Amino acid sequence: MINMTVKQNHERIVRLEDDVQEIQDRLTNLEMKHIDLMARLDVIVNGVKVIIAIVGASLGIDISIEGGMI
């Protein structure tokens, strides 16, 4: 590696740039999946809050939920 030619260095740089781009693409993909999963989790949590409020109301229980009553 010490006596690399300019061509060899250029090829190595191109490979490294390709690797960085691949990692960047994978990171972007993971970020999008994370956002999607967080949105789904938020929908589930809000649905559970609604179900708890409905069950509590049908039983005549005042259930306080963060952010007020649903």
Side-chain angles (χ1 to χ4, degrees):
M1 267 199 176
I2 295 173
N3 295 325
M4 294 179 72
T5 65
V6 172
K7 182 179 178 184
Q8 290 171 326
N9 278 331
H10 182 276
E11 290 171 354
R12 184 170 179 234
I13 290 169
V14 169
R15 281 195 314 270
L16 289 173
E17 287 173 343
D18 290 344
D19 290 346
V20 168
Q21 183 61 45
E22 182 182 336
I23 291 170
Q24 207 168 21
D25 293 343
R26 291 174 68 187
L27 180 61
T28 300
N29 185 22
L30 287 173
E31 288 172 341
M32 295 302 293
K33 286 181 179 180
H34 174 73
I35 290 168
D36 182 54
L37 287 174
M38 293 306 289
R40 290 178 188 208
L41 181 60
D42 189 49
V43 168
I44 291 169
V45 167
N46 286 333
V48 169
K49 287 180 181 180
V50 169
I51 291 170
I52 290 172
I54 291 170
V55 169
S58 68
L59 296 175
I61 301 171
D62 182 23
I63 299 175
S64 188
I65 299 177
E66 185 178 336
M69 288 297 295
I70 295 178

